Amino acid sequence: MSHIETIFNAVLEGDAAGAKTGVTAALNAGIAPETILKEGLIAAMGEVGRLFEENEYFVPEMLVAARAMQGGLVLLKPHLAAGGVAAMGKVIIGTVKGDLHDIGKNLVAMMLEGAGFEVIDLGTDVAPDKFVKAVLEHKPQVLGMSALLTTTMPSMGHTIKALQEAGVRDQVKVMIGGAPVTDAFARQIGADGCSTDASSAVRLAKSLIG
Ligand code: B1M
């Protein structure tokens, strides 16, 4: 089995130690970091997303695969930076004010990183002004908000209003997600897109930045 196949299979099986060993072996064998990232880690996460959409993988499998991918990515990151591989774009992500649910948000962040985005995670219970401050400071292409409670969904609209008031709404695409969030709600609050799972979140982020 090739080093790339070893990494691909380790991520698919959620084997973090195997992913790390595979990445180290591939780097030692002189395989380009970009190849390891695209054909090993990202390809495997793409397959995980496909299996999830076909109901062959469920959330636990996605989580362990994402963690395995993160394990490999940590080792690869310094080599990618050294090689000058440009990130696909910058995403700021957080769970909105009053909401402490972060498992889905973390999964989306990991999948975005796996797809090549630079992700700045603001954590949970993020107030509108904190999102605005982060947009002003980091100038991301995409701002992602997660909410799991119907009671915290309105905070997404408040954040978009705060972006407008700060004069930066047209400088960033806004995507929202989480179990109770719908396309209709996204349109209602003026978000640019809505996603209900991690793999479609990656597709949405890619389409938002063209
Ligand atoms: Co809470 N909780 N919870 N909870 N909790 C729910 C959400 C609930 C539906 C349970 C229920 O009643 N059936 C309910 C909400 C009801 C509602 O508002 N309609 C609920 C409640 C009521 C509460 C409390 C109020 C309970 C209480 O204290 N009385 C309380 C609120 C605390 C707070 O946030 N202020 C509370 C607390 C908690 C725990 C702390 C115990 C824990 C969270 C731990 C943590 O996250 N670190 C928890 C949990 C675990 C759940 C359930 C069981 C599971 C959520 C989860 O992690 N799912 C949940 C019931 C359920 O969903 N079955 C429930 C797995 C995760 C991978 O999926 O988060 O949907 P999900 O993320 C998906 C997509 O939504 C999407 O992609 C992800 C991956 O596929 N997605 C995005 C998410 N964010 C996205 C962002 C994007 C794009 C896609 O772009 C930016």
Side-chain angles (χ1 to χ4, degrees):
M1 198 188 298
S2 74
H3 291 303
I4 296 292
E5 282 170 338
T6 303
I7 296 165
F8 185 96
N9 289 338
V11 173
L12 214 56
E13 288 158 18
D15 174 5
K20 284 183 185 167
T21 311
V23 168
T24 305
L27 286 169
N28 289 341
I31 299 175
E34 299 91 323
T35 308
I36 300 172
L37 178 68
K38 287 183 188 150
E39 294 176 20
L41 297 172
I42 293 180
M45 285 315 284
E47 178 65 1
V48 170
R50 190 189 67 77
L51 290 168
F52 178 73
E53 283 174 8
E54 293 189 358
N55 292 323
E56 283 186 46
Y57 268 25
F58 297 95
V59 168
E61 285 90 351
M62 278 230 286
L63 273 174
V64 288
R67 283 192 193 130
M69 184 273 292
Q70 281 282 103
L73 197 60
V74 166
L75 296 178
L76 206 54
K77 261 183 184 167
H79 298 271
L80 290 170
V85 174
M88 281 200 71
K90 202 187 283 181
V91 180
I92 284 181
I93 195 166
T95 303
V96 298
K97 186 174 164 60
D99 202 322
L100 302 175
H101 295 86
D102 68 354
I103 297 171
K105 183 263 297 167
N106 293 345
L107 190 51
V108 171
M110 284 184 200
M111 292 288 279
L112 286 168
E113 279 200 342
F117 285 92
E118 179 188 349
V119 178
I120 298 168
D121 187 347
L122 302 182
T124 58
D125 192 21
V126 182
D129 63 332
K130 194 170 172 195
F131 277 119
V132 171
K133 206 172 153 216
V135 167
L136 289 166
E137 184 183 343
H138 299 287
K139 302 189 179 5
Q141 283 78 32
V142 179
L143 171 64
M145 289 184 275
S146 177
L148 263 286
L149 300 171
T150 44
T151 48
T152 57
M153 284 166 63
S155 188
M156 295 174 153
H158 300 156
T159 301
I160 291 176
K161 274 211 177 92
L163 290 170
Q164 285 161 351
E165 282 162 15
V168 290
R169 176 64 187 93
D170 57 352
Q171 290 167 32
V172 66
K173 298 287 185 188
V174 177
M175 63 186 265
I176 61 171
V181 171
T182 61
D183 282 326
F185 178 71
R187 280 193 298 278
Q188 184 192 322
I189 63 168
D192 297 299
C194 162
S195 144
T196 49
D197 65 72
S199 51
S200 72
V202 171
R203 278 201 303 277
L204 175 61
K206 283 182 181 170
S207 75
L208 288 177
I209 63 165

